[in-house]
Amino acid sequence: MHPLVEDARELLIHQANQQGISIIITDGFRSVDEQNAIYKKGRETDGNIVTYAKGGESYHNYGLAIDFALQPSQNNVIWDLEYDGNQNGQSDWMEVVEIAKLLGFSWGGDFTRFSDYPHLQMDFGLSITELKWGKRPEDVTD
Ligand SMILES: [Zn+2]
């Protein structure tokens, strides 16, 4: 994982907790092979389509993305956008998204091609094409 994304991930968990929301990070860095394997889901193997990105085409492949879910209790992980566990009249999911955006993440739920609600990424201004050609956030920041 990119160190800045790692820091933001920890802050996200902490700040969500402060609002009475427990989250779990279900995914972070993915190798190109792992990405190709999940790309096959719903296409060559059973299940629903979970991604439109082949290996090398996801920000996960560059350590720049995480996926989250709500974890109201130890053995209960949910992907429920309506759930209001802290009972403040707002969707916990959207509260987490709001915190994430303040930390600099963009949210997969805003993607027009494929709404990916658990997905948060930091692109540091780099497109997937640039990343594929070897550009890295470090090149931009220093
Ligand atoms: Zn993701």
Side-chain angles (χ1 to χ4, degrees):
M1 293 298 289
H2 189 283
L4 288 176
V5 179
E6 228 163 43
D7 289 350
R9 176 191 65 197
E10 294 314 303
L11 283 170
L12 179 68
I13 295 168
H14 181 72
Q15 291 179 17
N17 247 306
Q18 285 180 322
Q19 293 193 22
I21 304 169
S22 271
I23 62 167
I24 182 171
I25 304 302
T26 58
D27 216 343
F29 174 79
R30 265 183 225 141
S31 71
V32 167
D33 285 349
E34 287 166 337
Q35 186 71 37
N36 279 324
I38 70 160
Y39 183 81
K40 285 182 187 165
K41 265 191 203 164
R43 295 185 176 88
E44 294 170 41
T45 61
D46 288 346
N48 296 319
I49 285 178
V50 291
T51 184
Y52 281 80
K54 293 181 186 174
E57 292 177 354
S58 165
Y59 284 90
H60 285 286
N61 303 147
Y62 305 94
L64 300 176
I66 58 173
D67 296 335
F68 78 94
L70 303 175
Q71 189 174 30
S73 62
Q74 190 74 39
N75 297 313
N76 189 21
V77 174
I78 59 172
W79 287 262
D80 181 349
L81 274 67
E82 314 282 316
Y83 183 74
D84 181 19
N86 63 2
Q87 299 187 320
N88 65 351
Q90 293 173 54
S91 140
D92 288 5
W93 197 279
M94 293 312 295
E95 287 185 75
V96 175
V97 167
E98 205 170 300
I99 299 166
K101 286 181 175 178
L102 289 172
L103 291 169
F105 284 105
S106 22
W107 178 43
D110 290 328
F111 297 169
T112 46
R113 190 172 60 140
F114 171 59
S115 297
D116 188 356
Y117 298 107
H119 183 91
L120 301 167
Q121 70 182 41
M122 288 189 181
D123 60 26
F124 300 95
L126 295 176
S127 67
I128 284 293
T129 309
E130 288 174 305
L131 288 162
K132 269 184 158 177
W133 281 92
K135 262 200 149 209
R136 291 296 177 267
E138 289 79 17
D139 303 340
V140 177
T141 46
D142 55 38

